[in-house]
Structures are given as C-alpha cells and as structure tokens.
Amino acid sequence: MVWVSAILASAVPGVLLVGYLNRKGNAYDDAKGIGWQFIRYSVLCMAIPVTGVLALNNALSGEAATIIAGAMGYAFGKTDKPTGKADT
C-alpha cells in the first residue's frame, strides 16, 4: 500500500515538470503560453493521484473532497470567451 501511495504521489511533480517542459519548447521554437486546456490537464492529472493517495490511506475527508472538487469545477467550468448574454 505504501508503494502505491508513493507512485501516485510522484505523479504530481511529474505532471508539473512534463507540463513545464512541454510549454517551454526548445531553443528554436517560441515558448507556448499557458492556456485553459493546459490548466484543465494539470488539474485533472494532479487531482486523480492526490485523491487516490488520500483514499488509500483512509484520509479522504469531506473537506479534502470539497477542495478537489472545487478546483476541478473551476477549471472545467470556466468559459473561454464571454458572450455578454445571460445563460438560459
């Protein structure tokens, strides 16, 4: 159980590192900007391992689940462009 938790926990810095290297580009290309798709990818790829580690160690409480769900709701509920009209 400890090994599974360690593997899941190592995924979070791995996501940040690979995402940074992907956005940085190489010396010949321009660096890419950070966009909503990248934010959504990062939130999703970090929330799943964190939730797994907490659940495996019986530490997933209502407060932790609320924070994780709030971050995912913000990332996936954000619209790209305002339309100026109220949603019906």
Side-chain angles (χ1 to χ4, degrees):
M1 192 77 79
V2 174
W3 288 105
V4 174
S5 296
I7 291 169
L8 287 173
S10 67
V12 174
V15 166
L16 293 175
L17 178 65
V18 171
Y20 170 74
L21 293 175
N22 183 29
R23 287 298 178 192
K24 181 181 166 195
N26 58 25
Y28 303 108
D29 293 335
D30 292 333
K32 300 176 187 176
I34 187 167
W36 278 109
Q37 283 300 105
F38 178 69
I39 292 171
R40 289 178 183 127
Y41 163 79
S42 298
V43 167
L44 187 63
C45 288
M46 286 188 286
I48 292 173
V50 167
T51 305
V53 168
L54 291 173
L56 285 174
N57 294 317
N58 291 330
L60 186 61
S61 63
E63 293 86 3
T66 302
I67 291 171
I68 293 169
M72 292 183 71
Y74 178 77
F76 286 97
K78 186 75 175 168
T79 58
D80 291 334
K81 296 179 184 176
T83 59
K85 295 188 272 185
D87 292 335
T88 55

